[in-house]
Amino acid sequence: MTRQRVAIVGATGYAGAELTAILAHHPCVDLVSLSSGTTSSVPRLSELHSSLSDDDGPVVEPFDLARILAAAPQTVFLATPNELSAEIAPQLLDAGCSVIDLSGAFRLRDAQLYPRWYGFEHPRPALLEQAVYGLTEWCNGELRGARLIANPGCYPTAILLALRPLSYLIDREQTLVCDAKSGVSGAGKRAELAYSFSELAGNFKAYGVGQHRHEPELRERLHIGERTPLVFVPHLLPAVRGILATLHITFMKTMTEQEITNLYREAYGDAPFVHVRPPGQLPELKHVVGTAKAEIGFVLLNGGRRAVVVSVIDNLLKGAASQAVQNFNRLHGFDEKEGLAA
């Protein structure tokens, strides 16, 4: 297998540190550049992640695009803020690099949505059509040789994996409710009072209702447009990591447990990182935290016309870093499980 020269920008964030830990031990990767997403001082490599030592890769440096390009990476992972990714991804592409972006800078196809949902005008709208949306299990060959991969958001990963196999059976006249909870690491490293231990411990709250930037991503990737009533309510758990999404759906016709099971089996029978539980068995966060897996369970209600579907992932792994590595593996023709524990 041909080894790839890889750079990571944003290695000092939570998802970036997980990504660094995975790629530092990936048998097909040479880590040639590690940098933060800012020009400020950076920690030692061993301080990023408990599994890393200072011998596992290059020294972590402040962000400097010229220095990164001088290391001649073939693939660059961006674990950076949305606006920074939107700014530097085109420059990396112009330099001949493949880019896997963990931010939201290239997830939406419509550039007009960015000012409302992300707060900035997109600098390179033409790239939005070129970007491959990297929900790995739903990519049918388009990842191989892609130049720009937009890693899905963590909430959309949990929700889309659960709903995509059922999407054409959902009654679009009825409200689709996505009630999702995330550990606080999903907000990134923040010093604000709202994310401090004293505010979070023993607490539980909803946020961003009706204005969360993952809503247009969900609508676009579920192919439900603007007319289908969608209620997406994210919550902040008093936990470090993990996402649990409880989804309330109405079908256009009466469904049986076997029919639902068959749809999931058809979608994920060969997917090493998605596990669907038997009918009536619902997954919990403890089943996936610290792993690259997604687990899905469902219960039919109202004689088969409605269902509650529960989906769980680790937001920093399947919701970010490990999914990015799955996409990297497919991009370069490596085994999808390479560097990851299935």
Side-chain angles (χ1 to χ4, degrees):
M1 292 183 290
T2 303
R3 297 174 67 85
Q4 280 285 311
R5 295 174 60 83
V6 170
I8 301 173
V9 185
T12 53
Y14 289 131
E18 295 287 349
L19 185 59
T20 302
I22 295 169
L23 292 177
H25 302 106
H26 193 296
C28 306
V29 166
D30 290 322
L31 274 179
V32 297
S33 175
L34 294 173
S35 62
S36 69
T38 70
T39 56
S40 59
S41 60
V42 293
R44 294 166 59 86
L45 188 61
S46 56
E47 296 174 311
L48 286 182
H49 196 279
S50 59
S51 70
L52 291 170
S53 74
D54 290 323
D55 297 325
D56 284 331
V59 175
V60 187
E61 299 178 291
F63 174 72
D64 183 319
L65 185 58
R67 183 193 296 130
I68 294 166
L69 291 175
Q74 296 161 287
T75 302
V76 180
F77 289 83
L78 300 180
T80 44
N82 303 306
E83 290 185 74
L84 182 58
S85 287
E87 175 189 343
I88 66 175
Q91 299 176 66
L92 293 166
L93 292 170
D94 290 343
C97 305
S98 299
V99 175
I100 301 175
D101 180 31
L102 279 69
S103 84
F106 298 95
R107 290 175 187 155
L108 305 179
R109 289 191 178 276
D110 186 352
Q112 296 182 13
L113 294 173
Y114 277 88
R116 175 186 174 188
W117 294 98
Y118 282 89
F120 67 93
E121 295 280 349
H122 203 285
R124 290 285 291 272
L127 287 178
L128 298 176
E129 285 292 330
Q130 299 177 27
V132 175
Y133 187 74
L135 188 67
T136 316
E137 287 76 16
W138 288 87
C139 293
N140 297 313
E142 61 265 42
L143 287 168
R144 184 67 185 267
R147 297 182 64 241
L148 174 59
I149 298 172
N151 230 53
C154 51
Y155 281 125
T157 294
I159 293 169
L160 292 171
L161 287 174
L163 293 186
R164 282 290 291 269
L166 313 177
S167 61
Y168 293 105
L169 296 168
I170 294 172
D171 187 341
R172 283 160 170 72
E173 299 300 318
Q174 303 297 317
T175 301
L176 173 60
V177 178
C178 302
D179 186 344
K181 297 92 175 170
S182 174
V184 69
S185 60
K189 290 186 176 179
R190 298 191 177 194
E192 291 98 321
L193 176 63
Y195 300 95
S196 67
F197 178 81
S198 58
E199 294 293 322
L200 291 170
N203 195 14
F204 182 52
K205 61 183 179 182
Y207 68 98
V209 180
Q211 56 188 7
H212 198 284
R213 60 186 48 164
H214 287 321
E215 182 171 328
E217 185 179 346
L218 289 170
R219 286 187 176 278
E220 183 175 304
R221 301 303 169 178
L222 285 172
H223 308 293
I224 61 174
E226 291 295 324
R227 293 184 58 189
T228 300
L230 171 68
V231 177
F232 170 49
V233 184
H235 299 75
L236 194 61
L237 285 170
V240 174
R241 58 202 294 167
I243 283 178
L244 187 148
T246 304
L247 313 167
H248 305 261
I249 61 179
T250 303
F251 297 116
M252 291 185 292
K253 64 174 185 173
T254 299
M255 300 295 295
T256 66
E257 289 182 341
Q258 190 60 55
E259 286 174 321
I260 300 295
T261 298
N262 289 344
L263 288 169
Y264 279 123
R265 185 177 293 134
E266 182 181 352
Y268 301 126
D270 296 322
F273 297 106
V274 180
H275 176 230
V276 180
R277 291 175 161 256
Q281 295 187 19
L282 301 180
E284 304 172 25
L285 284 183
K286 67 180 181 181
H287 299 144
V288 297
V289 168
T291 80
K293 296 188 303 179
E295 291 214 5
I296 299 167
F298 71 92
V299 176
L300 283 183
L301 304 173
N302 291 15
R305 286 302 301 273
R306 300 188 65 243
V308 170
V309 182
V310 174
S311 176
V312 292
I313 63 170
D314 186 312
N315 59 296
L316 297 181
L317 291 173
K318 184 57 174 169
S322 69
Q323 184 162 223
V325 175
Q326 279 184 265
N327 290 331
F328 169 82
N329 286 337
R330 287 203 184 185
L331 166 66
H332 296 295
F334 304 139
D335 187 292
E336 186 174 326
K337 302 185 296 296
E338 201 70 72
L340 302 168

